[in-house]
């Protein structure tokens, strides 16, 4: 029981520690093993149908970060100073009969053929009904999955004293164009979902964490 209480306290402390860090101490670099731990938290994240519709592009090249700055207004402080900067991509090839979906069901989840057919059928119906058989809605649905991995990576980082900042403030078309020109993404395979920067804060937040009370956001029935 004591161990459980200690673990809960440790986790809540990590959430208290975490804040959106806009400028990092560029002199400090995250050790390789610590960043692999953060990436592993993303890899182990849950996704709908277990399709893992994400890719984590770690951009360490200073010249590429500089190219992104003019079209990534939400990361002007993070791009030059973050120890590690990640662009999270979402898959665009998520139709029920796509190579990726078949691979995930057969090769990764090791489903028997009859189960593959059943799950694939349910998934096809979901796309046709809930997502209106619309490729844009399918991509947006994939992007939603990436935010689960994003949150888990930031929480994992906070638990080992590493700061982070999630980023949505960017021109998606221009960022996509830059990444295509760099050969990072090809037409039709991935699209840009979000970004996240990791590193060590220069200074502590000036204000304590402000949140609504639990009873303001939770309703029991």
């Amino acid at each position: 029981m004591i161990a459980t209480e200690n673990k809960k306290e440790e986790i809540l402390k990590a959430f208290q520690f975490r804040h959106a860090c806009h400028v990092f101490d560029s002199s400090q670099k995250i050790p390789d093993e610590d960043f692999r731990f953060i990436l592993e938290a993303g890899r182990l994240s849950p996704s709908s149908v277990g399709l893992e519709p994400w890719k984590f592009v770690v951009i360490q090249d200073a010249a590429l970060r500089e190219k992104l700055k003019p079209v990534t207004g939400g990361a002007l402080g993070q791009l030059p100073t973050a120890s590690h900067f990640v662009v999270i991509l979402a898959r665009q090839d998520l139709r029920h009969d796509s190579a990726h979906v078949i691979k995930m069901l057969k090769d990764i989840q090791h489903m028997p053929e009859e189960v593959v057919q059943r799950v694939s059928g349910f998934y096809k119906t979901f796309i046709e009904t809930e997502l209106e058989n619309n490729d844009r809605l399918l991509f947006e649905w994939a992007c939603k999955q990436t935010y689960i991995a994003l949150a888990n990576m930031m929480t994992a980082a906070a638990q080992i004293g590493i700061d982070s900042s999630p980023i949505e403030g960017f021109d998606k078309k221009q960022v996509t164009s830059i990444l295509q020109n760099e050969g990072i993404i090809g037409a039709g395979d991935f699209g840009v979902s979000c970004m996240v920067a990791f590193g060590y804060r220069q200074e502590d937040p000036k204000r304590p964490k402000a949140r609504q009370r639990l009873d303001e956001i939770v309703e029991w029935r």
Side-chain angles (χ1 to χ4, degrees), residues 22-164:
H22 297 294
V23 179
F24 297 91
D25 181 351
S26 58
S27 69
Q28 294 193 66
K29 298 301 178 185
I30 299 171
D32 289 345
E33 63 181 45
D34 286 350
F35 198 71
R36 286 189 66 85
F37 164 75
I38 293 170
L39 292 174
E40 187 72 353
R43 185 183 77 88
L44 292 174
S45 296
S47 58
S48 188
V49 200
L51 296 182
E52 302 174 36
W54 45 58
K55 185 175 183 179
F56 311 123
V57 181
V58 186
I59 297 180
Q60 300 301 83
D61 181 73
L64 179 51
R65 288 193 188 188
E66 196 63 29
K67 287 181 183 178
L68 289 171
K69 273 181 66 177
V71 296
T72 312
L76 294 181
Q78 295 94 331
L79 273 166
T81 62
S83 170
H84 290 67
F85 193 90
V86 183
V87 176
I88 301 181
L89 307 179
R91 283 194 170 272
Q92 295 179 315
D93 55 338
L94 284 177
R95 288 284 174 173
H96 77 285
D97 55 355
S98 72
H100 175 73
V101 170
I102 294 171
K103 168 194 167 185
M104 293 305 300
L105 299 182
K106 287 186 174 182
D107 301 338
I108 304 301
Q109 300 181 38
H110 305 294
M111 291 182 181
E113 183 59 34
E114 64 273 16
V115 178
V116 169
Q117 294 301 319
R118 186 165 66 251
V119 172
S120 180
F122 290 147
Y123 179 51
K124 180 174 183 289
T125 299
F126 168 74
I127 293 173
E128 292 173 344
T129 56
E130 298 302 316
L131 301 181
E132 303 173 6
N133 211 25
N134 183 296
D135 286 336
R136 179 179 177 84
L137 291 179
L138 182 56
F139 174 68
E140 290 176 353
W141 175 76
C143 288
K144 290 178 181 178
Q145 310 300 310
T146 70
Y147 279 75
I148 302 172
L150 167 68
N152 285 342
M153 290 166 71
M154 291 192 298
T155 300
Q159 288 188 300
I160 57 173
I162 293 172
D163 290 292
S164 61

